[in-house]
Amino acid sequence: MVQFSDEKLKKVNEIVGRYPEGKQKSALLPVLHLAQEEFGGWLSVETMDYVATLLKLEPIEVYEVATFYSMYNLKPVGRYMFEVCQTGPCMLRGSDDIIDYIKKKLGIGVGETTPDGLFTLKTVECLGACGYAPMMQLGKHFREHLTPEKVDQIIEECRRTAAANN
Amino acid sequence: MPTIYIDSKPYEALAGKNLLETCLGLGIDLPYFCWHPALGSVGACRQCAVKVFKDAQDGTGRLVMSCMEMVKEGMRASVSDKDAVAFRAQVIEWLMTNHPHDCPVCDEGGSCHLQDMTVMTGHDYRRFRYKKRTYENQNLGPFLHHEMNRCIQCYRCVRFYHDYAGGKDLGVFAAHNHVYFGRETSGILESPFSGNLVEVCPTGVFTDKLLKEHYTRKWDLASAPSICQHCSLGCNIFTGERYGRLRQITNRYNSEVNGYFLCDKGRFGYAFVNDVNRVTRPLLRNQTIEAVDEAPLMKTLREMLSGEELIGIGSPRASIESNFSLIQLVGRDNFYQGLPEYPAYLSGKVAELVQSGALYVPSLKEIEASDAVLVLGEDIWNTAPVMALAVRQAVVRTAAAQAGKQSGLPAWHDLAVKEATQEKKGFLANLTVCPSPLDEEAAFSLRRAPDTIARLGFAIAHAIDPSLPSLPDISTAMRSIVNSIAGALRSAQHPVIISGVSCYNEGLIKAACTIAAALHTIGLRAGVAYVLPECNSMGLALLHAPSFDNATARVLSKPGVTAIILEADIYRTVAEKEADAFFDACKHIIVLDSMHNRTTQKAHALLPAAAFAETDGTIINYEARAQQYFQVLAPQQDIRASWKWLGKLKGLRAAAGNGQQVHPDEILQQLEQALPAFKGISRVAPSPDFRVHGQPIPRDPQRYSGRTAILANLTVSEPRPPQDTDSPLAFSMEGYPGIPPPALIPFYWAPGWNSNQSVSKYQQEPGGALRDGDPGVLLSGQAVLRLTGEEKPTAPPLFMDIPEAFEAREDRWLLLPQVHLFGSDELSSYTPGIRRLAPQPYIGLGEADATALGVIEGDDIFVWLEGKACSFPLAIRKGLCPGITLLPMGIPGIPVPQWGSWVKITLSEDAEEIRCPSKIF
């Protein structure tokens, strides 16, 4: 069953507390982020229903919001998500080649996850780092000036960390 | 009135309107999608772009969305500017990158707003070479078909369904090129107003599933103006026919009544007209169908009518023409209603108040504009759904108007006004027996017994006018609610009180009137609306006929009576035992009806009566608004309008025996001469000889196809179309092609506007009255006074007879009907989808009673009706007051009880009487 820990529940209450009484719907975005972090990096229907009960909303209201934003994952994702920018400047600097390279290297398409559950490839719009194009976001960090060699390094690095953590 | 310049031509515009509605009102074609006169502007679709210029010298101008632009004195705009034209064509081209090219197989084709707008903008060549996005559709239940690929993301569906009608189960998902309008999963749409999506959606995402079963393009439908037959509101509808079958019902705009929207019962409840259970041939008891030719039928009828004693039973679902023809046949003293004494008395009471001239009865439009609504007892969500929708608008609009005033926003600026309104609401107090979806909008919603609600009503009247009798025994908590409601009504400008007869309680009717009287003392004219059960209940009540009990007493005291029953199944309104007693005592029984039912089984002679789509007639709604409906189907076989049959019977009774056929307008003229209450009713619609330039009004559109071939399977020659001598409408595509008088509009169409959006061409301004005024004649006392110019605000009558407080009894329950929007109405239940949504029989009890009896939801319990135990599963009704039990009204399998009586409930068939310890109450 989906259930926040007491500590996270405290966090939820703190978020809800930022908004006036009766406006708890305003807390929906941060609480969904929290839920995504907490329950495997994606939002299952069960998770969204749980958030709906927490915030006293109709489930359909949560679905409407969660499906709108691309940063909420509605399908399971890998441990490492490559969010490659494909907007103008990055594209001019060869983001298409980078995306193709990652596809070939990992054997997955855009929006897919490797069978070992490690990597997901996603394309995104401008992340505001055009000066370092082509670039991608990995977790909470930007990886810039991407080249095939750099991508190899990053993948290797991820595999190593994953192996060390297991 | 500001003067504005459109393409350098000066026009007078209405202040406060936006540029789009102004252009449409001026007859300038300007494409749009997301704007709707009832929903306002959001500026989402970018389709209505025009150029505005700073001044006469400005040659560049700037593109704006006309729906978001307020008209201003001296404003200069251009619709035909080449940038604006190119912009609009571009918008359509974008929409078309994803819209499928499936018009030939799309139900919307031919009445599609998107088609019209695409042609209007001139986009005709597809440059986009890539794949279109596709979706999975949902099953939305028996009424609506879902085809998301056609969506153009105008958001009108959710803005109607969610924002306007308060539905919760239709949402918008995802973003960009994946936006999806639907439910969270497949399932029946919950709102009883979902059918309006068919008309609100500018393309074929939501289409009419019933039409799909016998599909016909709009241009192939013969149509006629009609009136909905399923409740007392009298919503205006179009009926559409092809191949002799009724195929579709759509909304017919009437700014005073239904505006743009209908309920699903009205839109989809027409299947009975095509049903196999129709009476199509005259039947004589003990004779085969073939035996009844005209001559023997007339001979038998003449014998039956030759007796001295003739009585007629009128019908609340037959036209006033038919009812009055029956009066003419049997005589006023021999005319009765098919209702038991008490409900007949209640309807009569309501009619008397409405007729008196002392009561101001608001139209649905006036209810929408009310700033404080009090509902006393009546479950309007189920008994008068479109009135519930109007009440919801009253609540939303009052708050929006206040917010708009404070922030200086125009009312049409939908999103901005919503932002300014936040959660504020207008005032609604919903005091009913059972919970209702309207409670969500209510400042106060209380569940009480009818007597208690009536007492609260009297207490409210006292709180407004302290000289009225007080009720000392009301609790402090309740007194504060009473004072709040009284305060809200006092401080309102247009208070409205709604009640009705479905609680079988006279106190409620009197309390509503007394509150209006109290408000009158402080100079407020309060509207009072009483909901009645059937489409012509008001018409029948205005005839002030005695009840069925009187008819029974009459036939029992004097044998040898011939009874003529007009279009009513007596077994649905009167207990079986009493109906049997009546029929057993009659010598001859002549029944006129359109459907076979238990009453027609009693007939010695059964005459096939026309359904509403097969005849012309006038019905009178809750506010005494007489409205005429026109036939769209030529009746099959021997079916005839009841008033025609009755005219024939009248001829048989006359010595000469030649029943001269009269027109419906002649009947109306005779009616207003005979009964002053109906003065003015003959003005309800133009007479049958009305012509425009010598031409009748065609029922068929100009593009009607297959005229010469439509009957080729029966005859290769082209038979003469049926002749309509009863109305100015013709069964033809030939006739006056322009806009006919409002009562005779058979469909909306204008060049370039094939969809129902063409209605704006028929209106004085978008969302305003129809040109030459909305059809219908008000017969209420106040309306008559207004006409004669003598309208003085007379005081509504005061009633002092406050009912005793309701007390639950130890061993008996007060039996009340629960009306169900789907299922309680006789005729609409022939539609399979409506039958599917109707409830199964149940016995309703409150939580406290169920606990005291030790039963849970679904347990079979027994209710004693007419000395017999009837077993149904228990349905726990949240909030239902202890001591009351509910049975669903009109559901097959439940005998007709005496509503408002006290009944016994047991846990088994032969169980001892249960005594519910009264202490728990």
Side-chain angles (χ1 to χ4, degrees):
Chain A
M1 216 193 76
V2 175
Q3 173 92 45
F4 278 130
S5 63
D6 286 350
E7 185 197 345
K8 295 287 169 190
L9 268 182
K10 229 162 89 189
K11 176 90 181 138
V12 169
N13 287 334
E14 185 221 303
I15 297 170
V16 172
R18 290 180 207 160
Y19 304 100
E21 185 81 30
K23 298 274 183 188
Q24 75 283 2
K25 191 179 178 180
S26 306
L28 184 52
L29 291 182
V31 173
L32 279 177
H33 276 303
L34 197 64
Q36 178 160 292
E37 229 167 76
E38 199 64 359
F39 305 116
W42 71 292
L43 297 172
S44 63
V45 170
E46 199 188 356
T47 308
M48 291 190 279
D49 290 352
Y50 174 61
V51 170
T53 31
L54 276 184
L55 299 180
K56 298 186 190 71
L57 298 173
E58 295 287 334
I60 191 170
E61 293 178 85
V62 179
Y63 306 158
E64 284 182 321
V65 170
T67 54
F68 183 87
Y69 293 102
S70 55
M71 285 169 76
Y72 297 121
N73 302 310
L74 301 174
K75 282 188 296 195
V77 291
R79 193 186 295 182
Y80 301 101
M81 185 148 66
F82 292 169
E83 297 178 84
V84 187
C85 174
Q86 55 167 6
T87 313
C90 282
M91 197 187 81
L92 290 174
R93 300 277 297 144
S95 64
D96 285 356
D97 297 340
I98 296 297
I99 293 166
D100 283 345
Y101 183 76
I102 299 174
K103 277 188 194 167
K104 222 180 285 158
K105 170 103 186 171
L106 296 177
I108 53 173
V110 173
E112 291 176 0
T113 304
T114 51
D116 59 4
L118 274 188
F119 299 103
T120 299
L121 173 62
K122 209 169 160 182
T123 54
V124 296
E125 303 308 324
C126 186
L127 292 167
C130 311
Y132 317 102
M135 58 78 66
M136 70 173 175
Q137 184 174 351
L138 174 58
K140 287 181 177 169
H141 297 281
F142 283 178
R143 297 302 178 96
E144 297 150 353
H145 298 305
L146 294 178
T147 57
E149 296 73 38
K150 217 158 182 186
V151 170
D152 284 346
Q153 269 177 31
I154 295 168
I155 292 174
E156 201 42 44
E157 186 188 310
C158 292
R159 286 204 170 121
R160 259 204 319 269
T161 332
N165 286 351
N166 277 344
Chain B
M1 262 195 177
T3 304
I4 62 167
Y5 299 86
I6 299 171
D7 289 319
S8 304
K9 268 191 238 150
Y11 294 95
E12 294 280 296
L14 281 174
K17 299 274 171 187
N18 64 53
L19 190 52
L20 172 61
E21 53 188 340
T22 305
C23 285
L24 294 172
L26 293 170
I28 298 168
D29 284 349
L30 185 54
Y32 64 86
F33 287 118
C34 66
W35 174 81
H36 187 289
L39 307 176
S41 309
V42 287
C45 73
R46 320 314 278 172
Q47 188 57 73
C48 64
V50 295
K51 256 203 182 162
V52 294
F53 302 90
K54 260 197 316 229
D55 48 43
Q57 275 70 50
D58 180 7
T60 318
R62 61 190 170 93
L63 280 175
V64 297
M65 297 310 126
S66 60
C67 70
M68 302 300 279
E69 204 71 10
M70 174 91 97
V71 295
K72 285 191 275 288
E73 175 61 40
M75 181 180 214
R76 291 177 174 273
S78 172
V79 173
S80 61
D81 179 273
K82 67 176 192 334
D83 293 343
V85 169
F87 184 93
R88 297 197 298 259
Q90 179 68 71
V91 170
I92 286 272
E93 188 171 2
W94 277 326
L95 294 177
M96 282 294 158
T97 59
N98 276 322
H99 187 81
H101 295 188
D102 65 345
C103 299
V105 295
C106 173
D107 288 2
E108 195 83 354
S111 54
C112 175
H113 187 52
L114 178 60
Q115 273 181 342
D116 292 349
M117 298 301 102
T118 307
V119 173
M120 196 179 284
T121 57
H123 167 67
D124 59 359
Y125 183 77
R126 181 174 147 93
R127 291 183 286 171
F128 184 74
R129 290 179 292 119
Y130 307 96
K131 273 193 177 168
K132 292 169 188 269
R133 53 105 175 88
T134 51
Y135 295 106
E136 268 182 42
N137 301 320
Q138 292 178 332
N139 184 347
L140 298 177
F143 302 138
L144 290 185
H145 183 79
H146 194 218
E147 180 55 69
M148 255 310 290
N149 288 352
R150 298 180 183 139
C151 180
I152 58 164
Q153 299 90 36
C154 71
Y155 282 70
R156 266 205 208 172
C157 54
V158 279
R159 287 176 60 221
F160 168 76
Y161 192 91
H162 187 274
D163 300 359
Y164 191 96
K168 294 212 164 42
D169 57 332
L170 183 82
V172 198
F173 306 95
H176 316 304
N177 233 358
H178 317 289
V179 175
Y180 190 89
F181 296 88
R183 286 170 45 90
E184 46 188 82
T185 52
S186 276
I188 299 166
L189 280 174
E190 286 160 10
S191 169
F193 306 104
S194 64
N196 293 303
L197 293 176
V198 172
E199 292 185 50
V200 166
C201 174
T203 176
V205 177
F206 299 98
T207 50
D208 182 337
K209 230 182 211 177
L210 263 70
L211 175 66
K212 203 176 249 320
E213 287 168 17
H214 41 220
Y215 183 68
T216 302
R217 296 257 175 236
K218 183 182 174 183
W219 69 66
D220 277 343
L221 281 175
S223 298
S226 191
I227 307 292
C228 181
Q229 307 280 312
H230 303 298
C231 81
S232 66
L233 300 185
C235 292
N236 290 204
I237 53 172
F238 289 124
T239 45
E241 173 269 358
R242 180 119 176 139
Y243 289 111
R245 290 170 81 75
L246 188 55
R247 283 166 191 256
Q248 192 185 23
I249 281 178
T250 48
N251 183 66
R252 177 163 68 104
Y253 180 84
N254 183 322
S255 78
E256 290 290 333
V257 187
N258 47 309
Y260 290 91
F261 305 118
L262 299 175
C263 75
D264 290 355
K265 180 168 66 163
R267 185 180 297 271
F268 302 113
Y270 63 85
F272 72 95
V273 177
N274 305 326
D275 201 87
V276 290
N277 193 36
R278 285 294 301 272
V279 184
T280 53
R281 303 287 311 265
L283 295 174
L284 293 178
R285 184 174 286 188
N286 305 327
Q287 292 190 28
T288 58
I289 297 169
E290 291 74 25
V292 192
D293 286 332
E294 181 86 2
L297 175 71
M298 290 304 144
K299 186 166 160 280
T300 315
L301 287 172
R302 196 192 301 271
E303 280 165 22
M304 288 180 173
L305 294 167
S306 63
E308 281 299 295
E309 285 282 320
L310 213 55
I311 68 164
I313 308 288
S315 163
R317 63 166 162 88
S319 66
I320 200 73
E321 286 89 341
S322 297
N323 276 298
F324 185 63
S325 296
L326 182 55
I327 291 184
Q328 287 180 318
L329 173 65
V330 300
R332 264 206 94 177
D333 299 337
N334 305 316
F335 181 74
Y336 299 87
Q337 309 185 44
L339 287 175
E341 184 65 30
Y342 193 54
Y345 167 76
L346 290 180
S347 303
K349 186 90 205 159
V350 167
E352 192 186 301
L353 285 168
V354 170
Q355 219 179 344
S356 70
L359 212 59
Y360 154 54
V361 189
S363 67
L364 291 177
K365 184 190 185 181
E366 288 166 322
I367 292 175
E368 277 185 4
S370 163
D371 49 356
V373 182
L374 167 62
V375 179
L376 275 185
E378 189 74 10
D379 176 11
I380 53 173
W381 190 269
N382 285 305
T383 61
V386 175
M387 187 183 276
L389 193 62
V391 167
R392 192 172 186 281
Q393 299 327 302
V395 173
V396 174
R397 280 197 205 166
T398 308
Q402 277 163 1
K405 215 191 237 166
Q406 278 164 13
S407 52
L409 289 166
W412 46 259
H413 207 315
D414 190 46
L415 275 185
V417 170
K418 280 208 177 76
E419 206 58 45
T421 313
Q422 294 288 320
E423 268 88 46
K424 289 194 276 295
K425 279 180 177 163
F427 183 83
L428 165 66
N430 196 33
L431 316 185
T432 52
V433 176
C434 259
S436 148
L438 266 186
D439 292 339
E440 268 173 39
E441 312 299 333
F444 297 101
S445 53
L446 288 181
R447 303 287 86 82
R448 293 290 184 276
D451 275 340
T452 314
I453 297 170
R455 285 172 67 81
L456 289 173
F458 281 105
I460 292 166
H462 168 75
I464 295 166
D465 177 3
S467 71
L468 293 173
S470 68
L471 288 92
D473 57 341
I474 284 186
S475 69
T476 326
M478 205 48 81
R479 191 163 298 281
S480 96
I481 293 179
V482 162
N483 287 338
S484 303
I485 296 175
L489 293 174
R490 283 177 73 109
S491 54
Q493 282 168 347
H494 308 288
V496 162
I497 301 132
I498 294 171
S499 188
V501 299
S502 76
C503 287
Y504 288 74
N505 189 297
E506 188 186 3
L508 289 170
I509 293 169
K510 290 182 167 174
C513 193
T514 305
I515 298 172
L519 288 167
H520 183 83
T521 60
I522 55 164
L524 269 178
R525 191 175 76 139
V528 182
Y530 294 114
V531 175
L532 295 171
E534 305 249 8
C535 63
N536 200 20
S537 286
M538 179 58 86
L540 184 62
L542 286 170
L543 293 167
H544 293 294
S547 71
F548 191 76
D549 298 14
N550 291 297
T552 309
R554 168 105 175 255
V555 292
L556 287 176
S557 68
K558 222 175 184 185
V561 168
T562 297
I564 302 163
I565 321 284
L566 174 65
E567 295 183 45
D569 184 2
I570 301 297
Y571 285 91
R572 284 182 68 90
T573 46
V574 174
E576 185 175 2
K577 215 164 56 188
E578 279 146 47
D580 282 345
F582 172 83
F583 288 120
D584 290 347
C586 290
K587 188 173 169 204
H588 299 299
I589 301 159
I590 303 173
V591 178
L592 299 95
D593 212 339
S594 53
M595 311 304 293
H596 286 286
N597 54 40
R598 285 191 70 190
T599 300
T600 60
Q601 285 170 16
K602 291 282 175 185
H604 297 130
L606 173 59
L607 303 176
F612 78 107
E614 295 160 333
T615 173
D616 307 333
T618 305
I619 51 175
I620 301 173
N621 82 348
Y622 76 98
E623 41 165 347
R625 184 185 298 269
Q627 304 186 99
Q628 191 155 12
Y629 54 89
F630 292 93
Q631 76 175 117
V632 73
L633 293 177
Q636 305 289 309
Q637 303 199 31
D638 299 318
I639 294 172
R640 264 181 236 174
S642 290
W643 51 267
K644 285 192 178 165
W645 279 117
L646 291 163
K648 210 162 177 88
L649 298 188
K650 212 159 60 180
L652 290 178
R653 198 159 153 79
N658 59 338
Q660 204 193 343
Q661 218 33 268
V662 290
H663 294 305
D665 68 318
E666 288 164 339
I667 301 176
L668 293 181
Q669 279 161 17
Q670 290 162 7
L671 168 63
E672 63 181 2
Q673 275 161 19
L675 300 165
F678 293 89
K679 194 159 179 288
I681 197 170
S682 64
R683 288 184 288 105
V684 70
S687 65
D689 52 8
F690 173 86
R691 295 289 181 274
V692 188
H693 301 312
Q695 292 181 301
I697 314 301
R699 283 182 175 85
D700 305 345
Q702 286 178 331
R703 294 176 190 161
Y704 190 82
S705 68
R707 185 184 64 172
T708 56
I710 201 163
L711 295 170
N713 59 333
L714 304 171
T715 165
V716 288
S717 71
E718 185 194 341
R720 189 176 187 225
Q723 299 299 299
D724 186 351
T725 52
D726 300 328
S727 81
L729 296 161
F731 288 103
S732 165
M733 45 206 281
E734 284 149 20
Y736 177 63
I739 293 183
L744 297 177
I745 300 171
F747 51 83
Y748 295 134
W749 183 86
W753 297 79
N754 297 303
S755 79
N756 60 354
Q757 303 291 314
S758 48
V759 60
S760 66
K761 303 279 179 188
Y762 292 75
Q763 295 164 326
Q764 294 171 9
E765 51 170 317
L770 291 172
R771 293 178 185 201
D772 298 327
D774 293 302
V777 173
L778 273 173
L779 304 176
S780 65
Q782 286 240 338
V784 173
L785 289 176
R786 217 175 302 157
L787 271 182
T788 51
E790 304 163 26
E791 190 188 12
K792 273 181 248 110
T794 42
L798 276 172
F799 295 97
M800 302 289 191
D801 42 345
I802 303 174
E804 292 294 312
F806 175 79
E807 271 181 55
R809 297 191 192 166
E810 245 185 282
D811 54 349
R812 291 285 186 277
W813 275 260
L814 178 67
L815 175 64
L816 290 177
Q818 171 66 56
V819 176
H820 287 272
L821 199 151
F822 297 125
S824 288
D825 172 64
E826 178 185 359
L827 296 179
S828 64
S829 299
Y830 280 96
T831 299
I834 289 182
R835 223 168 27 234
R836 190 174 140 199
L837 298 181
Q840 293 297 313
Y842 63 81
I843 299 174
L845 286 177
E847 296 123 315
D849 277 354
T851 315
L853 293 175
V855 283
I856 55 162
E857 180 91 19
D859 279 359
D860 279 333
I861 56 172
F862 291 80
V863 58
W864 290 71
L865 306 171
E866 310 274 326
K868 268 190 285 186
C870 307
S871 164
F872 304 112
L874 169 71
I876 294 177
R877 289 277 171 247
K878 231 178 151 192
L880 177 64
C881 160
I884 295 180
T885 183
L886 299 171
L887 285 177
M889 196 180 213
I891 302 292
I894 299 184
V896 174
Q898 198 189 339
W899 301 113
S901 63
W902 292 85
V903 294
K904 192 165 85 176
I905 290 178
T906 57
L907 297 185
S908 65
E909 202 163 353
D910 47 1
E912 288 286 302
E913 258 180 39
I914 295 180
R915 302 188 86 80
C916 233
S918 60
K919 278 161 207 81
I920 63 154
F921 301 138

